[in-house]
Amino acid sequence: MWVNPEDVLLAGALWITERANPYFILQKRKGHGDGGGLTGLLVGTLDVVLDSSARVAPYRILYQTPDSLVYWIIAHGTSRKEITEHWEWLEHNLLQTLSIFENENDITTFVKGKVQGIIAEYNKNHDVKEDDDTDKFKEAIAKFRKLFGMPEEEKLVNYYSCSYWKGKVPRQGWLYLSINHLCFYSYLLGKEAKLVVRWADITQLEKSATLLLPDAIKVSTRTNEHVFSVFLNINETFKLAEQLANIAMRQLLDNKGFEQDRSLPKLKRKSPKKVSALKRDLDARAKSERYRALFRLPKDEKLDGHTDCTLWTPFNKMHILGQMFVSTNYICFTGKEECLCSLIIPLREVTIVEKADSSNVLPSPLSISTKNHMTFLFANLKDRDFLVQRISDFLQQTTSKSYIERELTGSLNSSDDEVYSQQGSLLSSSPQRSLGSESERQFNLNDNSVPTATQALMTMYRQRSPEEFNPKLAKEFLKEQAWKNHFTEYGQGVCMYRTEKTKELVLKGIPENMRGELWLLFSGAINEMDTHPGYYEDLVEKSMGKYNLATEEIERDLHRSLPEHPAFQNEMGIAALRRVLTAYAFRNPNIGYCQAMNIVTSVLLLYAKEEEAFWLLVALCERMLPDYYNTRVVGALVDQGVFEELAREYVPQLYDCMQDLGVISTISLSWFLTLFLSVMPFESAVVVVDCFFYEGIKVIFQLALSVLHANIHQLLGCKDDGEAMTVLGRYLDSVTNKDSTLPPIHHLHSLLTDNGDPHPEVDIFKLVRSSYEKFGSIRADVIEQMRFKQRLRVIQTIEDTTKRNVVRTIVTETAFTIDELEELYVLFKAEHLTSFYWGGSSNPTERHDPSLPYLEQYRIDVEQFKGLFVLLFPWANGAHSDPLAMRFFRLLDQNGDALINFREFINGLSVLCHGDLTEKLKLLYKMHVLPGECVRMQFTGACVSVGKRDGKSPRGSNNFHSCVSHLSEIVTGKLHTPDYRHYLKLWNQEAKPKLENTKEMPKLNQTQFIELCKTLYSMFSEDIAEQELYHATATVTSLLLEMGEVGKLKLETSQRTHMRDATDSKTTQEAGPDGPAMFQQREQEETFIPGGLEESKTRLCGAADKGDEDCEQLPPMQDIKLEDSSPKDTGTSSAMLISDDETKDDTSMSSYSVLSAGSHELDEKLQCEDIADDTVLVGGLPHSTSIDKDWAITFEQFLASVLTEQALVQYFEKPVDVAARIINAKNVRKVGRTLLSSSDYEISLSG
């Protein structure tokens, strides 16, 4: 390809000149193409180690003027053909023109301009879009695609020089990290090493440090471990690998693919950093995620940039050093020491942004004022003017959003479909609502008979103790005053300064009256609520009267939510809980509803208004406890693994004991899912929730470790998990909140404990304080690192469980072994994932739905099936495989959704690998009947599911099991399984319907019969006994054509007889009782029956027309001339194919015309491209414009005809080596396919 001219200083080093003229030189890399000996090995090794483009493009063309020492590379090529085309173009189009110029500088300028013009024209004609990737990175992309056979859809993110340890020998090479794969390539003195690992297959990714390898990255899959070392920047490499593995896990978990962010600003042309656009995108994502987690911002908030600065804090008269973060809707600040101060300023609150005068004391100051009359002063800003411009741009966008919002809410207030067109699509910069001072919004979202809660349920159902002025109330009053003083000093609302003093107040307990407001503030839910006015009301109205699985589960659990609290002992509390849970289920169908959400939501409703409780639930489920409440509680399982790691580190003496008892897995789910609300007295648990909303999940880990640490001696003495659970249960029941002004609420969890002596009371505030003192060193970033490690393990465990469950479900329905089914499942899933990565004919999200039953989770479409068909199915044969695969797929697709699941796939493959002759022929026959008649009829044998699915979920699976097939498997030794599987199969046979009656199968018409013949011929095109099979097929075809004619004539005769009977019954009566018998006898004397069919002639004749015992007379035999088989002959059609020699030896085989006149169209003739040269077509066919509708054959006739030919019988009964086919499929997926990365396996080292 042509390249932008670059100067080359040493034109002869490591290159051989092959052609030359006064201006251009064509060179080849030393050692390329001819082995090259030692020089070639050294040059090849050097190219790989130094990342030279010559490894990919070993040919190049240089430009040089006669008197200059500087060369310019203007083209390079991967092959001699490509570079020769460029050379010839230069000679024919440029060489003569250059001789006209007198000045060498003019020649150089002209050549450069010409080459650049060619490149620009090419890009224009081929619609090549300009991107940010540097030329060096584009070379790396070309290498990556060539070395590993990756398609253009596979995007390379970055590549790094490193060593790969194979055994005890390191191989220096390059590690390529793409969106879906980790690849390594090395070439060392003639030995080539390639490795391809899919991110979705990685079970462990960690940095390891040993004496031999101080900095290494270990990548583990289910079968192998790979170690890479000698990185220039191991931290950057590892973080990128972590991020890509996380994306892959997300795909497996919730089916969300990777979409590149095209809105990133472009790099400057002369940018020193040579990173890809994808790498910049992923870096920006990682920074935005950390930014959102740090300040509890909405999920769609993107960080624009950050800069060092100082913030003037009026409460202590100091300039605090820290960082300012600017994003689309927020300005945030955090001190270098997090405990000092942090700040969140929503742009919707900002009124003025201005540059103040600089001074020595306050250089480059920036003042920001808000609507609640607070002013924030930042200083020491490095690029203040640019920062102010960015903030101004975002403010302008916020103002326009606010205007649109006001217009919509003003004019379309009653139109829910238009106001709420998309979830989260309407943003607003409406003034922040003052905490606790907003007037109540009266809306009745249910029918008028149900009272609607317009305030927190706790305020409506508060029960005071008899002593109104007791010490508890006095303490509560002091807490409220402390918080009010804090608001006065540090500000109130979302723009409040958050300091160590704020944390101290939270640890002492939030007052009952302020709890809901501060939960909203600390969780960040207030931001989403303020930017989505009316969202909750619209969602409730939309969800009213809708019923699904989630609403059914909600109804079942409504009365189990804090039933001991009076607020949920009447319809008002229950109705509010119903509305919030149902609204969230409709907002987020991926989660819908999960048990434990009802308990948490009921507590939120006690302290917050209905809409506020909804947004708190959103913050909880989508940000603070990610993936906790999906169908498989993945987030809780991940944090359970994190908790085990923390327990090993912080309470090592207890860890082994707890693991042996299996207690950690039991306690962690109940503790984490409900934030201790289900295991602790209510008034104590809400203190835990206070701390959780302020500090996040680290509080829950700290508290759980404190509980274990407090009971360490009792737990070490426990002999089983029941005893350990009793110890922990009694302890948690004894946790009390002595400051609570609420009347004591009986705790249901205490009913589960024994009747032993009560545990001494434990003060909740002391317990929380103790957790901070002993385990406060746990950092949020460390928890996230642990979560990544555990997420890999949990999701891969779920995938393995899915595989085992699928195999266990269908192992009794097929003759495949468990190991074979597991291998086939891996290949099936790999085909799905490949199309997910690189696209397919259907939407990947439709083919994978983790919420479906195991057998339905992975499905493939027809294009993916074609790939597996070629690799695994015995009937696949070269170029003719696709049409057969499409027919097979259509038959397997039981519910007609153009997708098949693993069971359907295995059942189809089982027929071809383990079915008997009859089953295989029946399958072949059914593949050619019309869709409306038989495509959805089920197979017989232990092979095909007839369970029709209602929608996506299977509602039943009725499988026909063939006794013949089962006995065949036992006789041939294919059923290598334990006895229990044998009995399960027998039980399944009794439970399923009887075998399909072959007489009830539809007949094949003329067109379908022609397609069947085409399929038979194509199946044998590459077989060892090809000619023998062709002859046998011709014989069978001849027999079937004869039977079809018999059936047609019989039908016509029967119709004529009917007419005569109707018009002249007297003639029929005169015939006498012996007439039909005499007619039958004469027919048998005149009919030609081929050899091998004499015994079944009566059966065959009878099969031509069911229900009639008599056969009609056949026409006399006619001699047929041999016709030329050339495809140019359009005047005739063919019905069968036999070789020249066999035609000479056996003329009786050509004694019948295949189809009668008027029964076949010109374009419907049989064709076969791969037939041998000595084969001729037999049987000239008259043609007309219509298909003969009366011509037909039955399955019985087809079966009987095939049985007459031993070659065909042997072909269909030939045993199939399933294990060999699976191994071959895996090997092809490794190295034999152009699109390589559908492999589930690592590519082995060669050389």
Side-chain angles (χ1 to χ4, degrees), residues 769-971:
R769 183 76 59 182
S770 170
S771 73
Y772 273 90
E773 291 171 356
K774 294 176 181 175
F775 309 108
S777 59
I778 299 173
R779 299 203 321 270
D781 58 336
V782 175
I783 290 175
E784 285 305 315
Q785 183 68 34
M786 290 180 172
R787 276 179 165 177
F788 164 74
K789 179 181 176 182
Q790 295 298 328
R791 192 177 295 115
L792 284 179
R793 180 189 61 80
V794 168
I795 293 180
Q796 296 294 15
T797 301
I798 290 174
E799 291 293 307
D800 291 341
T801 302
T802 300
K803 179 175 71 174
R804 287 194 299 271
N805 287 333
V806 167
V807 169
R808 190 184 303 119
T809 302
I810 64 176
V811 70
T812 59
E813 303 173 7
T814 175
F816 290 117
T817 66
I818 291 178
D819 291 339
E820 288 172 347
L821 285 173
E822 289 185 349
E823 296 283 9
L824 289 169
Y825 180 85
V826 167
L827 289 169
F828 186 87
K829 176 182 168 185
E831 199 67 32
H832 162 84
L833 289 177
T834 302
S835 69
F836 190 96
Y837 300 152
W838 302 332
S841 59
S842 60
N843 185 356
T845 57
E846 295 176 359
R847 296 192 299 272
H848 178 219
D849 186 351
S851 64
L852 290 176
Y854 293 119
L855 282 169
E856 292 281 338
Q857 284 186 16
Y858 290 105
R859 293 175 290 177
I860 59 173
D861 60 24
V862 66
E863 293 302 321
Q864 299 162 299
F865 179 76
K866 286 178 183 178
L868 290 176
F869 184 83
V870 171
L871 295 174
L872 296 170
F873 286 67
W875 291 356
N877 228 334
H880 301 288
S881 295
D882 277 4
L884 187 61
M886 291 180 69
R887 290 180 178 275
F888 208 161
F889 180 87
R890 188 183 63 176
L891 189 60
L892 293 176
D893 182 16
Q894 302 297 324
N895 64 346
D897 61 354
L899 298 170
I900 62 171
N901 61 31
F902 185 64
R903 169 182 264 157
E904 293 165 338
F905 174 80
I906 285 298
N907 289 335
L909 182 60
S910 180
V911 178
L912 271 56
C913 294
H914 299 296
D916 60 17
L917 176 67
T918 306
E919 289 173 334
K920 294 177 181 177
L921 292 178
K922 189 174 292 185
L923 172 63
L924 185 63
Y925 182 89
K926 287 184 177 182
M927 287 163 60
H928 293 83
V929 298
L930 287 176
E933 296 179 21
C934 195
V935 154
R936 299 194 185 177
M937 294 179 62
Q938 312 308 315
F939 301 55
T940 60
C943 46
V944 176
S945 165
V946 295
K948 293 195 176 182
R949 299 186 296 274
D950 179 13
K952 292 184 178 179
S953 301
R955 303 299 183 193
S957 54
N958 302 320
N959 295 349
F960 298 133
H961 286 265
S962 169
C963 296
V964 177
S965 171
H966 187 67
L967 291 173
S968 171
E969 290 162 358
I970 295 174
V971 171

Side-chain angles (χ1 to χ4, degrees), residues 1133-1152:
S1133 297
S1134 61
M1136 57 182 172
L1137 303 162
I1138 60 173
S1139 65
D1140 287 337
D1141 295 337
E1142 290 163 352
T1143 304
K1144 295 172 186 175
D1145 296 340
D1146 189 3
T1147 56
S1148 65
M1149 293 306 300
S1150 62
S1151 59
Y1152 257 85

Side-chain angles (χ1 to χ4, degrees), residues 330-398:
Y330 298 88
I331 299 171
C332 301
F333 174 87
T334 183
K336 289 294 184 184
E337 296 181 20
E338 286 186 25
C339 60
L340 285 179
C341 180
S342 66
L343 181 66
I344 301 172
I345 309 173
L347 291 183
R348 64 179 183 271
E349 298 295 317
V350 174
T351 55
I352 301 174
V353 177
E354 58 183 349
K355 293 181 283 187
D357 295 333
S358 295
S359 65
N360 292 333
V361 180
L362 206 62
S364 302
L366 177 66
S367 173
I368 299 177
S369 301
T370 62
K371 294 175 182 176
N372 57 351
H373 308 296
M374 293 182 71
T375 300
F376 304 95
L377 188 62
F378 299 92
N380 292 287
L381 294 162
K382 292 180 182 178
D383 196 349
R384 183 178 61 167
D385 293 340
F386 176 75
L387 180 63
V388 170
Q389 183 59 47
R390 293 300 293 167
I391 295 174
S392 299
D393 292 342
F394 291 139
L395 273 173
Q396 190 172 4
Q397 295 174 17
T398 305

Side-chain angles (χ1 to χ4, degrees), residues 1215-1236:
V1216 178
D1217 189 344
V1218 178
R1221 285 188 170 273
I1222 291 174
I1223 292 172
N1224 176 64
K1226 289 160 63 175
N1227 290 334
V1228 169
R1229 283 290 181 263
K1230 291 179 187 178
V1231 294
R1233 186 178 176 181
T1234 306
L1235 302 183
L1236 208 159

